[in-house]
Amino acid sequence: MKVAVVGVQGDVEEHIVATEKSMKNLGIQGEVLAVREPGIIPECDAIIIPGGESTTISKLISRDSIAEEIIESAREGKRIMGTCAGLIVLAKEGDEQVERTKTKLLGLLDVKVKRNAFGRQRESFQTKLQMKYVGEIDGVFIRAPLIESVGKEVEILAKFEDRIVAVKQGKILGLAFHPELSSTKVHEYFLSL
Ligand code: GLN
């Protein structure tokens, strides 16, 4: 199995490490690649868009044709996971911050997101979450977005105080928090989709 971690900006290395560990735990042979140029994603079986700055990630993947390659991969039914900024990039609709910064969203997850909904960097926090199909996990929230509303095809996987923080649509996962910073549980679930 080949897994692409979109590597233009953000916590790329942490996702690579978590994915490699997960593959080992599941006995999956393969490799994890940090992708910074077009031409690699079409050869991969799964794609991860990490946390970071959604404005920057969006700009860099749209400048090259990485954005189109991700959209094509979704059409082909490949697994895609976006965490934090990656969730924003995957979404269909954003808030006024997304509009103001002219952030281009991929529109692959039928959700509306609100950027920085949980406050600033120093208001970052960690909390126990119950995630459907995964079980109990530690959710690390760093200037995290919130999923304000979801479309019919979207399944809610986790909430924090009544707020939606993890969703699934087909083989696409969107998480407001950073699973790569706490364990390999979410990555193992993602790889086994
Ligand atoms: N606040 C960032 C954004 O809106 C996301 C933060 C993160 O990925 N940890 O892009």
mmCIF file of all heavy atoms in Angstrom, residues 20-57:
data_model
loop_
_atom_site.group_PDB
_atom_site.id
_atom_site.type_symbol
_atom_site.label_atom_id
_atom_site.label_comp_id
_atom_site.label_asym_id
_atom_site.label_seq_id
_atom_site.Cartn_x
_atom_site.Cartn_y
_atom_site.Cartn_z
ATOM 1 N N GLU A 20 3.228 5.050 9.378
ATOM 2 C CA GLU A 20 4.191 3.933 9.303
ATOM 3 C C GLU A 20 3.982 2.951 10.459
ATOM 4 O O GLU A 20 3.974 1.746 10.257
ATOM 5 C CB GLU A 20 5.632 4.475 9.325
ATOM 6 C CG GLU A 20 6.013 5.073 7.980
ATOM 7 C CD GLU A 20 7.373 5.779 7.979
ATOM 8 O OE1 GLU A 20 7.922 6.045 9.070
ATOM 9 O OE2 GLU A 20 7.857 6.074 6.881
ATOM 10 N N LYS A 21 3.768 3.502 11.658
ATOM 11 C CA LYS A 21 3.525 2.634 12.828
ATOM 12 C C LYS A 21 2.255 1.814 12.622
ATOM 13 O O LYS A 21 2.204 0.633 12.934
ATOM 14 C CB LYS A 21 3.341 3.500 14.083
ATOM 15 C CG LYS A 21 4.622 3.802 14.812
ATOM 16 C CD LYS A 21 4.288 4.373 16.192
ATOM 17 C CE LYS A 21 5.417 5.228 16.710
ATOM 18 N NZ LYS A 21 4.988 6.200 17.712
ATOM 19 N N SER A 22 1.207 2.471 12.102
ATOM 20 C CA SER A 22 -0.074 1.790 11.889
ATOM 21 C C SER A 22 0.067 0.658 10.883
ATOM 22 O O SER A 22 -0.502 -0.416 11.068
ATOM 23 C CB SER A 22 -1.127 2.773 11.373
ATOM 24 O OG SER A 22 -1.279 3.818 12.290
ATOM 25 N N MET A 23 0.825 0.897 9.816
ATOM 26 C CA MET A 23 1.019 -0.139 8.798
ATOM 27 C C MET A 23 1.734 -1.335 9.422
ATOM 28 O O MET A 23 1.379 -2.476 9.162
ATOM 29 C CB MET A 23 1.815 0.424 7.609
ATOM 30 C CG MET A 23 0.969 1.370 6.771
ATOM 31 S SD MET A 23 1.911 2.267 5.525
ATOM 32 C CE MET A 23 1.977 1.067 4.217
ATOM 33 N N LYS A 24 2.718 -1.035 10.261
ATOM 34 C CA LYS A 24 3.461 -2.098 10.929
ATOM 35 C C LYS A 24 2.515 -2.901 11.831
ATOM 36 O O LYS A 24 2.480 -4.124 11.782
ATOM 37 C CB LYS A 24 4.588 -1.467 11.746
ATOM 38 C CG LYS A 24 5.737 -2.382 11.977
ATOM 39 C CD LYS A 24 6.937 -1.624 12.524
ATOM 40 C CE LYS A 24 7.837 -2.615 13.234
ATOM 41 N NZ LYS A 24 8.513 -2.023 14.372
ATOM 42 N N ASN A 25 1.713 -2.174 12.638
ATOM 43 C CA ASN A 25 0.773 -2.845 13.552
ATOM 44 C C ASN A 25 -0.215 -3.734 12.816
ATOM 45 O O ASN A 25 -0.628 -4.766 13.315
ATOM 46 C CB ASN A 25 -0.033 -1.804 14.354
ATOM 47 C CG ASN A 25 0.842 -1.034 15.321
ATOM 48 O OD1 ASN A 25 1.992 -1.397 15.556
ATOM 49 N ND2 ASN A 25 0.313 0.061 15.873
ATOM 50 N N LEU A 26 -0.621 -3.281 11.623
ATOM 51 C CA LEU A 26 -1.629 -4.037 10.860
ATOM 52 C C LEU A 26 -0.990 -5.064 9.921
ATOM 53 O O LEU A 26 -1.689 -5.790 9.232
ATOM 54 C CB LEU A 26 -2.488 -3.068 10.030
ATOM 55 C CG LEU A 26 -3.344 -2.056 10.795
ATOM 56 C CD1 LEU A 26 -3.937 -1.032 9.838
ATOM 57 C CD2 LEU A 26 -4.466 -2.767 11.547
ATOM 58 N N GLY A 27 0.337 -5.092 9.870
ATOM 59 C CA GLY A 27 1.037 -6.023 8.978
ATOM 60 C C GLY A 27 0.881 -5.664 7.507
ATOM 61 O O GLY A 27 0.859 -6.533 6.640
ATOM 62 N N ILE A 28 0.733 -4.365 7.221
ATOM 63 C CA ILE A 28 0.578 -3.914 5.830
ATOM 64 C C ILE A 28 1.958 -3.530 5.284
ATOM 65 O O ILE A 28 2.678 -2.753 5.895
ATOM 66 C CB ILE A 28 -0.374 -2.689 5.750
ATOM 67 C CG1 ILE A 28 -1.782 -3.055 6.224
ATOM 68 C CG2 ILE A 28 -0.410 -2.110 4.337
ATOM 69 C CD1 ILE A 28 -2.731 -1.869 6.328
ATOM 70 N N GLN A 29 2.301 -4.078 4.143
ATOM 71 C CA GLN A 29 3.564 -3.716 3.470
ATOM 72 C C GLN A 29 3.326 -2.451 2.672
ATOM 73 O O GLN A 29 2.242 -2.267 2.130
ATOM 74 C CB GLN A 29 3.958 -4.800 2.458
ATOM 75 C CG GLN A 29 4.140 -6.181 3.041
ATOM 76 C CD GLN A 29 5.440 -6.295 3.811
ATOM 77 O OE1 GLN A 29 6.437 -5.691 3.445
ATOM 78 N NE2 GLN A 29 5.407 -7.050 4.902
ATOM 79 N N GLY A 30 4.343 -1.614 2.566
ATOM 80 C CA GLY A 30 4.168 -0.453 1.706
ATOM 81 C C GLY A 30 5.028 0.702 2.133
ATOM 82 O O GLY A 30 5.987 0.542 2.891
ATOM 83 N N GLU A 31 4.662 1.882 1.656
ATOM 84 C CA GLU A 31 5.457 3.061 2.022
ATOM 85 C C GLU A 31 4.582 4.292 2.175
ATOM 86 O O GLU A 31 3.462 4.354 1.657
ATOM 87 C CB GLU A 31 6.562 3.309 0.987
ATOM 88 C CG GLU A 31 6.052 3.484 -0.422
ATOM 89 C CD GLU A 31 7.174 3.728 -1.415
ATOM 90 O OE1 GLU A 31 8.215 4.274 -1.022
ATOM 91 O OE2 GLU A 31 6.990 3.392 -2.602
ATOM 92 N N VAL A 32 5.123 5.257 2.911
ATOM 93 C CA VAL A 32 4.427 6.515 3.145
ATOM 94 C C VAL A 32 5.283 7.626 2.541
ATOM 95 O O VAL A 32 6.469 7.721 2.840
ATOM 96 C CB VAL A 32 4.220 6.765 4.661
ATOM 97 C CG1 VAL A 32 3.322 7.966 4.883
ATOM 98 C CG2 VAL A 32 3.637 5.536 5.345
ATOM 99 N N LEU A 33 4.673 8.437 1.689
ATOM 100 C CA LEU A 33 5.439 9.461 0.979
ATOM 101 C C LEU A 33 4.948 10.861 1.311
ATOM 102 O O LEU A 33 3.735 11.099 1.350
ATOM 103 C CB LEU A 33 5.275 9.263 -0.542
ATOM 104 C CG LEU A 33 5.603 7.880 -1.093
ATOM 105 C CD1 LEU A 33 5.002 7.711 -2.471
ATOM 106 C CD2 LEU A 33 7.104 7.711 -1.148
ATOM 107 N N ALA A 34 5.870 11.784 1.540
ATOM 108 C CA ALA A 34 5.498 13.193 1.693
ATOM 109 C C ALA A 34 5.404 13.771 0.281
ATOM 110 O O ALA A 34 6.368 13.714 -0.475
ATOM 111 C CB ALA A 34 6.554 13.935 2.487
ATOM 112 N N VAL A 35 4.240 14.281 -0.069
ATOM 113 C CA VAL A 35 4.011 14.725 -1.450
ATOM 114 C C VAL A 35 4.060 16.247 -1.555
ATOM 115 O O VAL A 35 3.259 16.943 -0.931
ATOM 116 C CB VAL A 35 2.648 14.190 -1.950
ATOM 117 C CG1 VAL A 35 2.328 14.758 -3.324
ATOM 118 C CG2 VAL A 35 2.663 12.672 -1.990
ATOM 119 N N ARG A 36 5.008 16.728 -2.334
ATOM 120 C CA ARG A 36 5.130 18.176 -2.545
ATOM 121 C C ARG A 36 5.017 18.554 -4.009
ATOM 122 O O ARG A 36 5.098 19.709 -4.362
ATOM 123 C CB ARG A 36 6.475 18.677 -2.008
ATOM 124 C CG ARG A 36 6.600 18.512 -0.521
ATOM 125 C CD ARG A 36 7.839 19.111 0.074
ATOM 126 N NE ARG A 36 7.904 18.721 1.466
ATOM 127 C CZ ARG A 36 8.470 17.610 1.908
ATOM 128 N NH1 ARG A 36 9.063 16.786 1.086
ATOM 129 N NH2 ARG A 36 8.453 17.314 3.198
ATOM 130 N N GLU A 37 4.892 17.535 -4.860
ATOM 131 C CA GLU A 37 4.760 17.846 -6.285
ATOM 132 C C GLU A 37 3.734 16.918 -6.930
ATOM 133 O O GLU A 37 3.459 15.842 -6.396
ATOM 134 C CB GLU A 37 6.107 17.749 -6.997
ATOM 135 C CG GLU A 37 6.616 16.358 -7.103
ATOM 136 C CD GLU A 37 8.005 16.203 -6.513
ATOM 137 O OE1 GLU A 37 8.337 16.916 -5.545
ATOM 138 O OE2 GLU A 37 8.741 15.360 -6.996
ATOM 139 N N PRO A 38 3.182 17.348 -8.054
ATOM 140 C CA PRO A 38 2.188 16.506 -8.724
ATOM 141 C C PRO A 38 2.822 15.240 -9.309
ATOM 142 O O PRO A 38 4.032 15.186 -9.476
ATOM 143 C CB PRO A 38 1.647 17.401 -9.848
ATOM 144 C CG PRO A 38 2.411 18.647 -9.826
ATOM 145 C CD PRO A 38 3.418 18.618 -8.748
ATOM 146 N N GLY A 39 1.989 14.250 -9.579
ATOM 147 C CA GLY A 39 2.460 13.028 -10.232
ATOM 148 C C GLY A 39 2.605 11.842 -9.291
ATOM 149 O O GLY A 39 2.740 10.712 -9.739
ATOM 150 N N ILE A 40 2.572 12.089 -7.978
ATOM 151 C CA ILE A 40 2.765 10.990 -7.014
ATOM 152 C C ILE A 40 1.412 10.460 -6.513
ATOM 153 O O ILE A 40 1.199 9.252 -6.421
ATOM 154 C CB ILE A 40 3.640 11.460 -5.827
ATOM 155 C CG1 ILE A 40 5.008 11.909 -6.372
ATOM 156 C CG2 ILE A 40 3.825 10.351 -4.793
ATOM 157 C CD1 ILE A 40 5.823 12.724 -5.425
ATOM 158 N N ILE A 41 0.503 11.393 -6.241
ATOM 159 C CA ILE A 41 -0.801 11.000 -5.695
ATOM 160 C C ILE A 41 -1.547 9.979 -6.574
ATOM 161 O O ILE A 41 -2.117 9.031 -6.037
ATOM 162 C CB ILE A 41 -1.646 12.264 -5.374
ATOM 163 C CG1 ILE A 41 -1.086 12.873 -4.092
ATOM 164 C CG2 ILE A 41 -3.135 11.954 -5.263
ATOM 165 C CD1 ILE A 41 -1.765 14.119 -3.599
ATOM 166 N N PRO A 42 -1.510 10.116 -7.899
ATOM 167 C CA PRO A 42 -2.217 9.113 -8.711
ATOM 168 C C PRO A 42 -1.728 7.680 -8.483
ATOM 169 O O PRO A 42 -2.457 6.732 -8.730
ATOM 170 C CB PRO A 42 -1.939 9.564 -10.155
ATOM 171 C CG PRO A 42 -1.706 11.030 -10.036
ATOM 172 C CD PRO A 42 -0.996 11.217 -8.731
ATOM 173 N N GLU A 43 -0.507 7.537 -7.984
ATOM 174 C CA GLU A 43 0.024 6.182 -7.741
ATOM 175 C C GLU A 43 -0.231 5.697 -6.316
ATOM 176 O O GLU A 43 0.172 4.601 -5.960
ATOM 177 C CB GLU A 43 1.533 6.180 -7.969
ATOM 178 C CG GLU A 43 1.889 6.323 -9.424
ATOM 179 C CD GLU A 43 3.357 6.665 -9.606
ATOM 180 O OE1 GLU A 43 4.154 6.454 -8.671
ATOM 181 O OE2 GLU A 43 3.671 7.163 -10.698
ATOM 182 N N CYS A 44 -0.851 6.540 -5.487
ATOM 183 C CA CYS A 44 -1.066 6.166 -4.088
ATOM 184 C C CYS A 44 -2.471 5.607 -3.870
ATOM 185 O O CYS A 44 -3.387 5.876 -4.629
ATOM 186 C CB CYS A 44 -0.818 7.373 -3.193
ATOM 187 S SG CYS A 44 0.925 7.827 -3.157
ATOM 188 N N ASP A 45 -2.609 4.843 -2.774
ATOM 189 C CA ASP A 45 -3.901 4.222 -2.451
ATOM 190 C C ASP A 45 -4.668 5.015 -1.414
ATOM 191 O O ASP A 45 -5.872 4.846 -1.256
ATOM 192 C CB ASP A 45 -3.658 2.823 -1.861
ATOM 193 C CG ASP A 45 -2.743 2.009 -2.736
ATOM 194 O OD1 ASP A 45 -3.192 1.612 -3.814
ATOM 195 O OD2 ASP A 45 -1.567 1.810 -2.353
ATOM 196 N N ALA A 46 -3.971 5.858 -0.668
ATOM 197 C CA ALA A 46 -4.624 6.627 0.394
ATOM 198 C C ALA A 46 -3.914 7.966 0.530
ATOM 199 O O ALA A 46 -2.713 8.069 0.256
ATOM 200 C CB ALA A 46 -4.533 5.855 1.705
ATOM 201 N N ILE A 47 -4.675 8.982 0.912
ATOM 202 C CA ILE A 47 -4.110 10.338 0.999
ATOM 203 C C ILE A 47 -4.457 10.958 2.345
ATOM 204 O O ILE A 47 -5.606 10.872 2.799
ATOM 205 C CB ILE A 47 -4.695 11.228 -0.121
ATOM 206 C CG1 ILE A 47 -4.375 10.615 -1.492
ATOM 207 C CG2 ILE A 47 -4.167 12.664 -0.049
ATOM 208 C CD1 ILE A 47 -5.409 10.922 -2.523
ATOM 209 N N ILE A 48 -3.468 11.616 2.955
ATOM 210 C CA ILE A 48 -3.711 12.325 4.218
ATOM 211 C C ILE A 48 -3.364 13.792 4.018
ATOM 212 O O ILE A 48 -2.304 14.127 3.484
ATOM 213 C CB ILE A 48 -2.856 11.727 5.363
ATOM 214 C CG1 ILE A 48 -3.280 10.268 5.622
ATOM 215 C CG2 ILE A 48 -2.992 12.570 6.642
ATOM 216 C CD1 ILE A 48 -2.424 9.536 6.645
ATOM 217 N N ILE A 49 -4.285 14.672 4.424
ATOM 218 C CA ILE A 49 -3.990 16.109 4.407
ATOM 219 C C ILE A 49 -3.838 16.534 5.867
ATOM 220 O O ILE A 49 -4.793 16.469 6.642
ATOM 221 C CB ILE A 49 -5.111 16.924 3.716
ATOM 222 C CG1 ILE A 49 -5.462 16.306 2.351
ATOM 223 C CG2 ILE A 49 -4.679 18.393 3.550
ATOM 224 C CD1 ILE A 49 -6.613 16.980 1.635
ATOM 225 N N PRO A 50 -2.642 16.943 6.277
ATOM 226 C CA PRO A 50 -2.378 17.223 7.691
ATOM 227 C C PRO A 50 -2.932 18.555 8.188
ATOM 228 O O PRO A 50 -3.482 19.339 7.402
ATOM 229 C CB PRO A 50 -0.861 17.241 7.776
ATOM 230 C CG PRO A 50 -0.342 17.295 6.403
ATOM 231 C CD PRO A 50 -1.467 17.155 5.435
ATOM 232 N N GLY A 51 -2.712 18.802 9.465
ATOM 233 C CA GLY A 51 -3.025 20.101 10.048
ATOM 234 C C GLY A 51 -1.922 21.087 9.713
ATOM 235 O O GLY A 51 -0.829 20.693 9.315
ATOM 236 N N GLY A 52 -2.209 22.356 9.891
ATOM 237 C CA GLY A 52 -1.258 23.406 9.559
ATOM 238 C C GLY A 52 -2.043 24.692 9.361
ATOM 239 O O GLY A 52 -2.871 25.032 10.201
ATOM 240 N N GLU A 53 -1.841 25.356 8.242
ATOM 241 C CA GLU A 53 -2.620 26.546 7.893
ATOM 242 C C GLU A 53 -3.399 26.243 6.625
ATOM 243 O O GLU A 53 -2.806 26.049 5.559
ATOM 244 C CB GLU A 53 -1.681 27.730 7.611
ATOM 245 C CG GLU A 53 -1.347 28.580 8.798
ATOM 246 C CD GLU A 53 -2.531 28.965 9.668
ATOM 247 O OE1 GLU A 53 -3.590 29.410 9.153
ATOM 248 O OE2 GLU A 53 -2.402 28.821 10.888
ATOM 249 N N SER A 54 -4.726 26.219 6.761
ATOM 250 C CA SER A 54 -5.535 25.837 5.601
ATOM 251 C C SER A 54 -5.328 26.784 4.418
ATOM 252 O O SER A 54 -5.333 26.359 3.260
ATOM 253 C CB SER A 54 -7.010 25.765 5.993
ATOM 254 O OG SER A 54 -7.409 26.928 6.669
ATOM 255 N N THR A 55 -5.130 28.085 4.713
ATOM 256 C CA THR A 55 -4.917 29.056 3.621
ATOM 257 C C THR A 55 -3.664 28.677 2.822
ATOM 258 O O THR A 55 -3.689 28.645 1.593
ATOM 259 C CB THR A 55 -4.716 30.476 4.203
ATOM 260 O OG1 THR A 55 -3.914 30.375 5.376
ATOM 261 C CG2 THR A 55 -6.018 31.124 4.556
ATOM 262 N N THR A 56 -2.581 28.382 3.538
ATOM 263 C CA THR A 56 -1.313 28.048 2.880
ATOM 264 C C THR A 56 -1.408 26.719 2.137
ATOM 265 O O THR A 56 -0.993 26.610 0.979
ATOM 266 C CB THR A 56 -0.186 27.959 3.946
ATOM 267 O OG1 THR A 56 -0.257 29.126 4.748
ATOM 268 C CG2 THR A 56 1.171 27.846 3.318
ATOM 269 N N ILE A 57 -1.945 25.706 2.815
ATOM 270 C CA ILE A 57 -2.041 24.379 2.185
ATOM 271 C C ILE A 57 -2.867 24.488 0.903
ATOM 272 O O ILE A 57 -2.471 24.008 -0.163
ATOM 273 C CB ILE A 57 -2.652 23.338 3.150
ATOM 274 C CG1 ILE A 57 -1.721 23.126 4.359
ATOM 275 C CG2 ILE A 57 -2.913 22.009 2.433
ATOM 276 C CD1 ILE A 57 -2.283 22.234 5.452
#
